[in-house]
Amino acid sequence: MIRNVELETARRLVLEKGRPPGAEKVGLLEAHGRVLAENICAPMDQPSFNRSPLDGYALQAADTRGAAPGSPVILEVIDTVYAGGCSTKEVTGGTAVCLMTGSPIPEGADCVIRQENTRAVQGRVEIIKELSRWENYCFKGEYSHKGDAILDRGELLRAAEIGVLASLGIAAVPVYQKPAAAVISTGDELVEPGTEPAPGRVYSSNCYTIACRLKECGVKVVSTGIVGDDCGDIERAVAKVIDEVDFVITTGGASVGEKDLIMETMGNLGAEIIFWKIKIKPGSPALFSVLKGKPVISLSGNPFAAAATFELLLTPFLEKITGNGSLGPNTLRAVLQNDFNKKSPLRRALRGHFVQDDSGKALVEIVDRDQSPGNLQVALNSNCFIDIQKGSAGLKRGEMVYIYF
């Protein structure tokens, strides 16, 4: 077991135990929110025919020369095509075909005039605007050609991606299988939300924060729960889920107090202890072990500390096991917008909020002075962590800092 590891070392050790996901083919609705497992190329031209982008008339541009409201050009309407239909007529000089948006443009036509620039009169149409060739003309393959790259492996399939796939006639796609996890919060003081806490008891938030964050990262959470500060109870809770999941996250019991029982529990279960404690505040009392080949990540019981360590430690691991390479953490240099006057004998991660100005420069502000490990509410207004190095005597506005987001 390694004690007191640097954050980067802890990340690497956890990452090494992650297993890349397998793949499965699912229908489009089920694919929503999943990660694409293969590159997708267009199976067809899009659009698959020359189409009208608007309601109007397909005609030949040469017929519109000199057309104006006071001197319209009159053409014979030889056919009407609705969306889903197709004209068999060929447009020749002096003729036009009435089209609805999305209809195929018939042979012979080289432009489409907007309906608002026409007047229909008993089987004929008056053209009151001059057009150029190919005006309002959407060509076959204008959006993409058969064989073009459309989506890359590793992309998250949101509504836009699903819509594009459907428009190309693709009904099912290969996606990465979702890893499964269990979340266990330990502590005699914890009660479920919705109940009346006795004196000295607090509501359990870690299960909800961690479980919801895992879901946002594409993980299937199969079990959550509270377990008291008892080695036997914790052992049974971990043993019950370890065969059903790909990894387990626990919160609480990872420090040095009399009731901090996670290390003892994992040892009793026969787990390999990889490291204990990370050189960063908050979240230092983290334990990483492996049981039956499954990673078990044990975080602080303090809500803010648990959430911070989750982001800083686990996102590279989650990228690996979900196939989603966009989970972070990303690193950026930013200009600090307010002072921080506390000394940092240990490396510190502060919650911040950053924006980028018109030049692309990142500006970051410390969002709350009270960033104690138990204050989860500070997360509401933040979108990054400010990395303050060990030994810092404080920071002043205008200094450059590194942020994780």
Side-chain angles (χ1 to χ4, degrees):
M1 177 182 69
I2 308 172
R3 293 173 181 262
N4 295 313
V5 298
E6 298 290 347
L7 174 62
E8 289 75 15
T9 302
R11 276 192 198 135
R12 176 178 56 80
L13 292 170
V14 174
L15 183 63
E16 287 174 353
K17 301 299 180 181
R19 298 175 182 172
E24 59 182 343
K25 200 165 191 177
V26 300
L28 291 188
L29 290 179
E30 189 179 346
H32 181 244
R34 304 285 292 274
V35 179
L36 193 61
E38 294 179 9
N39 297 334
I40 298 293
C41 294
M44 56 183 278
D45 289 338
Q46 179 70 339
S48 57
F49 49 82
N50 299 327
R51 60 181 287 274
S52 174
L54 44 82
D55 293 344
Y57 293 84
L59 50 111
Q60 294 182 347
D63 283 339
T64 69
R65 287 196 193 114
S71 56
V73 172
I74 301 175
L75 303 177
E76 180 186 0
V77 179
I78 59 173
D79 202 358
T80 297
V81 182
Y82 298 96
C86 185
S87 178
T88 59
K89 304 285 183 67
E90 181 178 354
V91 173
T92 57
T95 66
V97 170
C98 181
L99 297 178
M100 305 302 151
T101 301
S103 299
I105 296 175
E107 291 292 325
D110 59 13
C111 64
V112 176
I113 191 167
R114 191 182 300 274
Q115 185 173 301
E116 293 85 341
N117 298 132
T118 67
R119 293 191 289 261
V121 182
Q122 297 180 347
R124 297 186 177 189
V125 62
E126 292 184 353
I127 309 299
I128 60 173
K129 182 177 183 292
E130 193 169 325
L131 272 70
S132 304
R133 292 190 75 196
W134 316 124
E135 191 170 341
N136 301 325
Y137 194 108
C138 186
F139 288 92
K140 175 183 178 181
E142 185 169 289
Y143 306 152
S144 60
H145 292 287
K146 182 177 181 178
D148 283 353
I150 301 297
L151 295 172
D152 294 329
R153 181 182 64 183
E155 288 197 50
L156 185 64
L157 298 175
R158 295 157 297 193
E161 287 79 6
I162 296 296
V164 168
L165 291 167
S167 74
L168 290 168
I170 298 172
V173 288
V175 295
Y176 288 121
Q177 294 172 335
K178 284 190 173 187
V183 182
I184 301 169
S185 287
T186 68
D188 289 335
E189 76 279 15
L190 300 177
V191 297
E192 285 287 353
T195 62
E196 188 65 33
R201 308 293 287 274
V202 296
Y203 289 119
S204 173
S205 62
N206 283 336
C207 262
Y208 294 92
T209 304
I210 300 300
C212 289
R213 191 68 186 97
L214 287 171
K215 289 181 178 181
E216 289 174 350
C217 292
V219 175
K220 178 171 60 177
V221 179
V222 300
S223 177
T224 61
I226 299 172
V227 181
D229 291 317
D230 179 87
C231 267
D233 290 344
I234 300 171
E235 286 176 28
R236 283 186 285 274
V238 174
K240 180 180 178 181
V241 299
I242 196 67
D243 292 325
E244 304 172 10
V245 298
D246 298 291
F247 65 102
V248 175
I249 294 180
T250 71
T251 65
S255 191
V256 294
E258 183 180 341
K259 294 282 189 166
D260 289 310
L261 305 172
I262 288 295
M263 186 181 296
E264 180 182 348
T265 297
M266 298 312 298
N268 291 344
L269 288 169
E272 176 190 5
I273 308 297
I274 307 297
F275 68 75
W276 180 44
K277 291 192 174 182
I278 303 173
K279 294 180 183 178
I280 195 164
K281 179 182 180 180
S284 173
L287 178 78
F288 178 52
S289 57
V290 177
L291 177 63
K292 294 186 175 182
K294 312 285 183 69
V296 180
I297 304 102
S298 300
L299 306 176
S300 169
N302 284 312
F304 172 67
T309 311
F310 178 100
E311 299 296 336
L312 296 171
L313 175 65
L314 293 185
T315 44
F317 167 78
L318 293 171
E319 283 190 341
K320 183 176 181 179
I321 66 172
T322 63
N324 183 354
S326 65
L327 300 180
N330 301 302
T331 306
L332 195 64
R333 279 175 61 80
V335 182
L336 189 63
Q337 298 299 292
N338 49 357
D339 295 343
F340 181 71
N341 296 319
K342 290 184 179 180
K343 295 181 179 180
S344 299
L346 192 68
R347 187 179 180 184
R348 188 193 300 260
L350 288 179
R351 286 276 189 177
H353 187 274
F354 87 96
V355 296
Q356 289 182 291
D357 64 17
D358 292 341
S359 68
K361 180 188 295 183
L363 312 174
V364 65
E365 184 174 4
I366 300 167
V367 295
D368 196 319
R369 299 297 174 179
D370 179 16
Q371 298 208 15
S372 60
N375 182 13
L376 187 59
Q377 292 184 24
V378 71
L380 294 176
N381 301 313
S382 70
N383 62 1
C384 70
F385 290 93
I386 303 168
D387 189 2
I388 300 179
Q389 293 302 305
K390 174 183 176 181
S392 170
L395 296 170
K396 296 297 182 183
R397 177 179 179 175
E399 289 192 49
M400 298 298 297
V401 293
Y402 281 100
I403 61 173
Y404 295 110
F405 64 98

